[in-house]
Amino acid sequence: MEQTDPFVLVSKRKYNQKERPVVRVDGETYGTLTKLAAKSGLSLAEIVGQAVSYAVDHLVWVEEE
């Protein structure tokens, strides 16, 4: 099985979720998502959900220095 690099997040501060969930992305990321949606037939929400699940499954936390 091919080994993949971990998804690394640096822990900096507390996150406070707002009442209504809204996710904003830059133009390049949106373009990538729309290309994936066109090729796969999946919605942007489904693609983002799968990508986030994959990232969480491969997540490694590191403390900020």
Side-chain angles (χ1 to χ4, degrees):
M1 183 172 180
E2 180 182 323
Q3 184 177 357
T4 59
D5 292 332
F7 176 68
V8 178
L9 287 179
V10 177
S11 179
K12 291 186 177 186
R13 59 186 170 127
K14 289 274 186 183
Y15 171 73
N16 295 321
Q17 184 172 339
K18 297 179 181 179
E19 291 181 30
R20 269 182 46 195
V22 175
V23 177
R24 298 182 193 281
V25 296
D26 59 34
E28 183 179 351
T29 300
Y30 184 79
T32 299
L33 290 169
T34 58
K35 287 176 187 172
L36 291 171
K39 188 169 185 172
S40 67
L42 297 171
S43 71
L44 296 180
E46 289 171 310
I47 293 167
V48 170
Q50 287 184 32
V52 169
S53 291
Y54 176 85
V56 169
D57 289 345
H58 294 85
L59 177 63
V60 175
W61 286 101
V62 295
E63 293 298 322
E64 184 176 36
E65 294 181 19

